[in-house]
Amino acid sequence: MTNKMLIGNWKMEVGSRESVALARGALLALRGKKQLPEVVVCPSFPALADVRKVIARSHVSLGAQNVHHEEKGAFTGEVSARMLEEQGASFCLVGHSERRAMGETDAQVAKKVSELYAHGITPVLCVGETLAQRKSGISSQAVTNQLQSSLTGVSIRGRDRLCIAYEPIWAIGTGTPASPQDAVAMHDTIRQRIGILFPGLASSRLQVLYGGSIDATNAYRFLREPEVGGLLIGGASVHLSQFTKIIAEAADVLEGLSHA
Ligand code: 13P
């Protein structure tokens, strides 16, 4: 069955009160829809507990925006995968370009992925080329290399899922998304590379998403592409009307596909 996944990355934009309101909005947007997209909301750490209460027993899942790569220890200010598990997170973003820009390395990202799996949390690994790489025509190579080194030493077992978010750095927060055609081409590249890295991973356990300047006006053009497994949404996901419109659109696309 086709699945479309929508992940709201609320970054450091909203606190608990607004996060709760957005989560309620997501629930309302799904109400009455026949085909439900998989919605994941990623509030800031302090808002996780409040949002968890709102989405309990619903079709909306809880995600975190980051995790530390070590299991535990004297790491002031950091949050471990075990702590996220305790908070009820079932997803966690890793390797977001905004974190890589702060010095996060591929090796750390790979350790984070393994830590998350050890605690039953699905990683959403973010990859994407810079503008300079795009201009040099090496986008595919850059993304492939990033996948390879961000997943070194990672093993994926049994029922584990893997989400890869293709987020071209030049498209994040700029108002200029990739074209759906470019996104589709990169999704194919990503699927191929993951197939080589993890030959045992069933395609139904791999979700490839697009992120970067998605809003309510352009989401549909991506969602309707069968290769696009969903969207990772930043700025538009903290605007209730935009976020709920995108959720409703994803539900409609799924409804259309179910009749196709
Ligand atoms: P924008 O949707 O604001 O471009 O951000 C994308 C992003 O970084 C999601 O993780």
Side-chain angles (χ1 to χ4, degrees):
M1 206 190 76
T2 314
N3 182 18
K4 295 279 178 189
M5 186 180 227
L6 299 175
I7 306 183
N9 175 8
W10 296 344
K11 305 193 179 183
M12 203 175 71
E13 300 287 4
V14 286
S16 284
R17 209 163 35 86
E18 280 171 278
S19 297
V20 161
L22 288 167
R24 290 210 174 101
L27 293 179
L28 279 175
L30 290 171
R31 192 172 283 176
K33 295 289 182 190
K34 292 202 191 75
Q35 303 287 333
L36 302 183
E38 190 172 9
V39 177
V40 180
V41 293
C42 302
S44 58
F45 289 140
L48 283 170
D50 285 342
V51 170
R52 179 189 193 177
K53 286 184 210 142
V54 173
I55 61 177
R57 292 175 299 280
S58 80
H59 206 74
V60 178
S61 305
L62 192 62
Q65 297 177 18
N66 185 32
V67 65
H68 195 259
H69 57 274
E70 295 291 350
E71 195 181 335
K72 65 181 296 196
F75 299 104
T76 302
E78 295 293 341
V79 170
S80 71
R82 178 184 296 281
M83 293 168 188
L84 294 181
E85 182 186 12
E86 275 175 7
Q87 291 298 310
S90 26
F91 293 85
C92 182
L93 307 181
V94 274
H96 193 284
S97 64
E98 287 157 12
R99 298 217 57 90
R100 292 180 189 265
M102 287 186 261
E104 190 165 294
T105 64
D106 286 337
Q108 286 170 340
V109 173
K111 282 184 81 177
K112 290 178 183 211
V113 171
S114 295
E115 271 304 305
L116 291 171
Y117 279 137
H119 292 278
I121 299 172
T122 298
V124 180
L125 171 62
C126 306
V127 292
E129 80 281 3
T130 63
L131 186 60
Q133 288 167 331
R134 176 177 157 85
K135 283 187 172 156
S136 316
I138 56 165
S139 301
S140 303
Q141 193 56 46
V143 167
T144 305
N145 289 346
Q146 227 177 3
L147 282 177
Q148 183 107 22
S149 39
S150 305
L151 291 166
T152 299
V154 169
S155 45
I156 303 186
R157 301 193 181 80
R159 301 182 66 78
D160 288 344
R161 296 172 69 188
L162 175 63
C163 299
I164 306 288
Y166 170 52
E167 296 208 302
I169 293 169
W170 50 268
I172 296 177
T174 58
T176 308
S179 69
Q181 294 70 30
D182 283 353
V184 164
M186 192 63 89
H187 284 216
D188 286 341
T189 304
I190 290 170
R191 281 192 168 275
Q192 276 172 28
R193 178 54 50 162
I194 296 296
I196 294 168
L197 292 174
F198 302 103
L201 182 69
S203 63
S204 60
R205 308 223 143 261
L206 171 65
Q207 202 84 16
V208 186
L209 319 176
Y210 170 78
S213 293
I214 286 294
D215 61 25
T217 67
N218 58 29
Y220 175 78
R221 290 195 283 126
F222 290 85
L223 288 168
R224 71 177 177 193
E225 299 290 347
E227 291 85 353
V228 176
L231 301 170
L232 176 54
I233 312 152
S237 73
V238 291
H239 290 101
L240 189 60
S241 61
Q242 295 246 356
F243 193 38
T244 53
K245 186 158 180 252
I246 297 169
I247 293 172
E249 273 178 351
D252 293 343
V253 168
L254 285 172
E255 173 73 9
L257 288 173
S258 74
H259 295 301

